[in-house]
Amino acid sequence: MPDAATHDRITIISGVVLAPLVYGSLVVPAADAAALGTSLFTLAHIVSGVLFSPDLDIDSAIHRRWGILSWIWRPYMWIIPHRHFWSHSLVIAPLLKLLYFYGVLVGTFLGVSWCLAQLGVVVRDYHIVMTRAIIDGIAGAPREAGLLIGGFVTGSAAHTIADWTSTTGKRWWRRRQR
Ligand SMILES: [Zn+2]
């Protein structure tokens, strides 16, 4: 299996290769909109591969990239078996990870609100504010939202395809050695 640095290189190279394809395929009224859409896609692709890597399912260099926030991914690592469909599949795995991250944010907002409420401090329902902002963002700019999600999926898929290729290559090599 490629190490984190190799996966980073694969993420960057695949992002650079995909960018002109995305730019060329976007049917938008102005070049500005195509450039913005491509930038969003590429940014999501790289963030997905580097920070939200499928290898968050194991204690890896990726956890350390989250610094003091690495606890966010501990339950994910405990629940999801390493290199399983739920972390290493082309589409479902990255979408599940986004859902998990959203769940962590909601849980954090609820937890902090509850703690503050015990101290007599009442704050807004920030989990609802965030959820509404996400829904409004998707409804207001569906193409940009689609490109962000698309880039997030391809960033993860590039990792998974590299893992599959490496495993298949190793198997083939071992068979040749026999
Ligand atoms: Zn992996």
Side-chain angles (χ1 to χ4, degrees), residues 37-164:
T38 306
S39 305
L40 290 174
F41 176 90
T42 309
L43 182 73
H45 179 94
I46 290 171
V47 167
S48 172
V50 173
L51 268 182
F52 288 80
S53 158
D55 285 348
L56 282 168
D57 65 0
I58 192 173
D59 196 354
S60 64
I62 316 300
H63 280 260
R64 289 188 283 285
R65 291 178 182 171
W66 282 80
I68 55 164
L69 296 178
S70 62
W71 57 268
I72 288 176
W73 298 105
R74 289 282 139 181
Y76 180 86
M77 186 187 88
W78 294 326
I79 297 164
I80 307 284
H82 180 45
R83 294 192 79 186
H84 192 269
F85 171 82
W86 298 115
S87 65
H88 284 67
S89 55
L90 296 181
V91 180
I92 303 288
L95 295 182
L96 179 75
K97 210 179 303 148
L98 275 184
L99 204 64
Y100 173 87
F101 190 64
Y102 167 76
V104 168
L105 290 177
V106 168
T108 305
F109 284 135
L110 284 174
V112 171
S113 300
W114 185 84
C115 290
L116 288 172
Q118 305 310 303
L119 301 170
V121 181
V122 178
V123 292
R124 289 180 70 188
D125 288 330
Y126 280 108
H127 63 289
I128 295 175
V129 173
M130 175 185 71
T131 304
R132 281 216 188 105
I134 294 171
I135 293 169
D136 290 350
I138 293 172
R143 183 176 52 227
E144 284 73 16
L147 285 163
L148 274 174
I149 294 169
F152 195 84
V153 168
T154 57
S156 175
H159 174 113
T160 299
I161 291 168
D163 277 357
W164 288 347

